[in-house]
Amino acid sequence: MHSAVFLIEFGAIILGLGLLGRFAGRLRFSPIPLYLLAGLAFGTGGLLPLGASEEFVAIGAEIGVILLLLMLGLEYTASDLVSNLRTQYPAGLVDFTLNALPGAAAALLMGWGPVAAVVLAGVTWISSSGVIAKVLGDLGRLGNRETPVILSILVLEDLAMAVYLPIITALLAGVGLATGSVTLAIALGAAGAVLFVAVRYGRLISRFVSSDDPEKLLLVVLGLTLLVAGIAQQLQVSAAVGAFLVGIALSGEVAEGAHTLLSPLRDLFAAVFFVFFGLHTDPSSIPPVLLPALALAVVTALTKIATGYWAAKRAGVGPKGRWRAGGTLVARGEFSIVIAGLAVSAGIEPSLGPLATAYVLILVVIGPLTARYTEPAAGWLTSRRARPAAEPVPEPAKVEARD
């Protein structure tokens, strides 16, 4: 009977996610807010709380985070990452300063303490690579001059997560300074070692993993990713970071093949992850934090626009492209929820999860709109300012002279 209830519940979840994804596709916006709302509806305090399938959903959510980071890693080669670090690090510093500090300041103003401040800084800092990639494709901007600038900032944020997530894990675990330093040193050492091996021996690794049989390639890549993620977590390093580094180490045809094979699994388990986060957020806890979430969303939307504008200007992109770059970076999504989910699991601050949920819901909806309309709105405002208040009336003498 228990297994039958589990199958019914989990089957209903997957079917519901599929229908929500189809609905979002017709409206041409990200399904992430719908997945979060579905989790709110079926979680604690929701319309129909789950029972039998919750433990399996939790495992699926963890796999979803691992696959999200693996797929992000597959998008970039080690040489791309090294090149981006060398040329675009000033944009990364500006991105961190303008977007992480508002989150940290908000947490401190609300009296949540330094650990929650570090967590909320990450929530407001990191843009949604998944949502932004989809928006760029939908708007036909993949070949635009500002697009490499946008991707460079996203790459730098992904790399920063390799350092940030171990720090958060150590802080949330309440470990001492010495243990936290060891954890960070292990994370940095692992990231550096993987980057070095990927640059020097990436072809050998890809050749070892490569297979003409899609089934064998899927099993080897997925198995290797879960193995490395588990080892990373055992060493007190984020499992997501381990998966990201595996993705970086693979390149060429192997990366392309793995990306094609794993995309459906990524989409499935990522959707389960967003539902799982919603399950652990009481809907009644969102209204009290809605106003702070809205204020934080407005502030950090503006700071992201400023970040993209500055980075595109530095790269020599024209004014229209600068505004497009800024508007495209506004969306927050998977990483913000991953970071907040770690804090919720650790029980740091009860209001942090609801605030992060409301914050992501706002910006994941606004993000595609700012990507589309920031540049036209800026052009309209510029033309309004340049336009004279009234047309000058020609003097009679000048009129007579023309005649």
Side-chain angles (χ1 to χ4, degrees), residues 29-30 33-34 131 331-332 359-370:
F29 73 93
S30 170
L34 298 183
V131 173
R332 310 304 202 275
Y359 175 80
V360 170
L361 280 171
I362 293 168
L363 286 185
V364 85
V365 172
I366 292 177
L369 299 178
T370 59

Side-chain angles (χ1 to χ4, degrees), residues 18 44 119 150 186 194 213 217 231 239-240 252 264 298 314 317 332 356 368 397:
T44 305
V119 173
I150 296 170
I186 292 173
V194 170
D213 189 338
L217 178 61
I231 294 174
V298 171
R314 179 175 176 270
V317 178
R332 310 304 202 275

